[in-house]
Amino acid sequence: MNTQSSDAVVSILGVKVHATNMDRAVSRLETAVISGQKGYVCVTGVQGIMEAQMDSNLKHIINGAMLTIPDGRPTVWVGWLRGLLHMRQVTGPTIMLRICALSAEKGYTHFFYGGNDGVADQLKNSLTERFPGLKVVDTYTPPFRSLTPGEESELIRKVAEAKPDFFWVGLSTPKQERFMEQYSSKLDAKVMLGVGAAFDIHTGRIKDAPYWMKFTGVQWMHRIYQDPKRLWKRYLVNNPKFVYRITLELLGLSKQQEA
């Protein structure tokens, strides 16, 4: 499970994030698929890091990923401050498009798990239209609770029949990380990726932040504007806490243990 990439790892408040970029991350995942390696990928920004401060099991899950890519701009800035200047932001929606484009060319297969009713099927239609030749072998829309034994058996059967190279999980953090850790050994899929809002972005339910907002690290404002009731606390509480704690860590005044 804990098959690490050749990229250096930066510890941010005890959470391991790989100092990678888009090309390296895509190459790493294609190598895993070709060689038959199984594992899961966490797309981690400030939210995931701060959730892990309150949940040591979540920290353990993220630190056990095959690859933890820097979804948030602040994680990249921390990497730069520690001398890892090749580190770049790699968002879930963007790496999904890159891997789908590669797959349309090389024939890698995909399974979409997550979203509200109909979203996974709509995502399949949207991406196969955008990338002719893309093979989406199946989809599954889970309930907003843990799977029952019967539902779990059905999912295991569907994935065993499909045997996807890439299994995309469109839940929210930390739910998607917990799901991947629990099911990566049960499902006959090679690489699992938790990409959060990518399902809604690529089906047009929400809009992705413009590049300048991502570049300047304020894409969270774009998310709050679209869903303030659900997201205000996530960003307006977690972001200041992150700035405070990472400042102490960078100054050598505190250090979080890795799970």
Side-chain angles (χ1 to χ4, degrees):
M1 177 67 63
N2 192 16
T3 305
Q4 300 293 346
S5 111
S6 58
D7 283 298
V9 172
V10 56
S11 179
I12 304 175
L13 301 181
V15 176
K16 297 177 182 177
V17 180
H18 285 88
T20 192
N21 56 41
M22 181 64 76
D23 289 341
R24 290 187 182 202
V26 171
S27 176
R28 171 72 182 92
L29 299 180
E30 183 179 21
T31 298
V33 165
I34 292 171
S35 62
Q37 296 176 6
K38 285 176 62 70
Y40 58 89
V41 177
C42 294
V43 180
T44 301
V46 169
Q47 183 203 353
I49 291 169
M50 294 310 295
E51 291 278 352
Q53 305 310 299
M54 301 176 286
D55 184 344
S56 60
N57 184 55
L58 176 61
K59 185 184 289 187
H60 176 77
I61 290 171
I62 296 174
N63 288 348
M66 169 189 289
L67 186 66
T68 299
I69 61 178
D71 177 61
R73 195 72 178 175
T75 59
V76 175
W77 291 335
V78 173
W80 289 355
L81 288 171
R82 290 177 173 164
L84 300 168
L85 300 181
H86 65 277
M87 191 173 178
R88 295 291 184 272
Q89 183 179 13
V90 183
T91 68
T94 306
I95 196 170
M96 190 177 204
L97 294 181
R98 281 287 300 270
I99 291 177
C100 285
L102 178 70
S103 299
E105 176 187 344
K106 297 194 175 181
Y108 304 132
T109 58
H110 300 260
F111 191 113
F112 297 148
Y113 177 95
N116 293 319
D117 288 342
V119 171
D121 286 331
Q122 187 179 348
L123 180 65
K124 173 183 177 179
N125 294 336
S126 175
L127 291 180
T128 52
E129 180 178 348
R130 183 168 183 171
F131 301 104
L134 181 68
K135 299 177 182 178
V136 180
V137 289
D138 212 338
T139 67
Y140 191 94
T141 300
F144 288 99
R145 52 167 170 76
S146 299
L147 299 178
T148 65
E151 291 165 344
E152 180 178 292
S153 296
E154 178 191 8
L155 176 63
I156 291 172
R157 176 188 58 78
K158 286 169 70 76
V159 177
E161 291 176 356
K163 292 180 170 51
D165 296 312
F166 295 100
F167 186 101
W168 300 91
V169 183
L171 307 176
S172 60
T173 294
K175 189 175 181 180
Q176 64 190 13
E177 287 79 10
R178 293 188 179 120
F179 173 87
M180 292 190 296
E181 192 271 340
Q182 180 180 355
Y183 284 95
S184 60
S185 62
K186 297 180 180 181
L187 300 179
D188 192 4
K190 292 176 183 174
V191 176
M192 303 178 76
L193 301 97
V195 290
F199 281 38
D200 286 335
I201 288 173
H202 293 321
T203 55
R205 281 172 164 73
I206 62 175
K207 293 183 179 180
D208 199 5
Y211 175 76
W212 73 265
M213 297 190 84
K214 295 177 183 178
F215 183 80
T216 56
V218 296
Q219 69 187 85
W220 56 272
M221 293 182 179
H222 191 266
R223 293 293 310 281
I224 289 180
Y225 175 76
Q226 295 185 86
D227 194 356
K229 186 176 180 179
R230 186 173 69 89
L231 298 178
W232 74 268
K233 187 175 181 180
R234 174 193 297 183
Y235 293 112
L236 298 184
V237 173
N238 278 346
N239 286 8
K241 283 185 177 179
F242 174 80
V243 172
Y244 173 73
R245 292 190 181 187
I246 197 62
T247 298
L248 292 179
E249 184 170 277
L250 290 170
L251 292 174
L253 300 176
S254 71
K255 182 174 177 60
Q256 297 295 321
Q257 296 296 314
E258 296 175 356

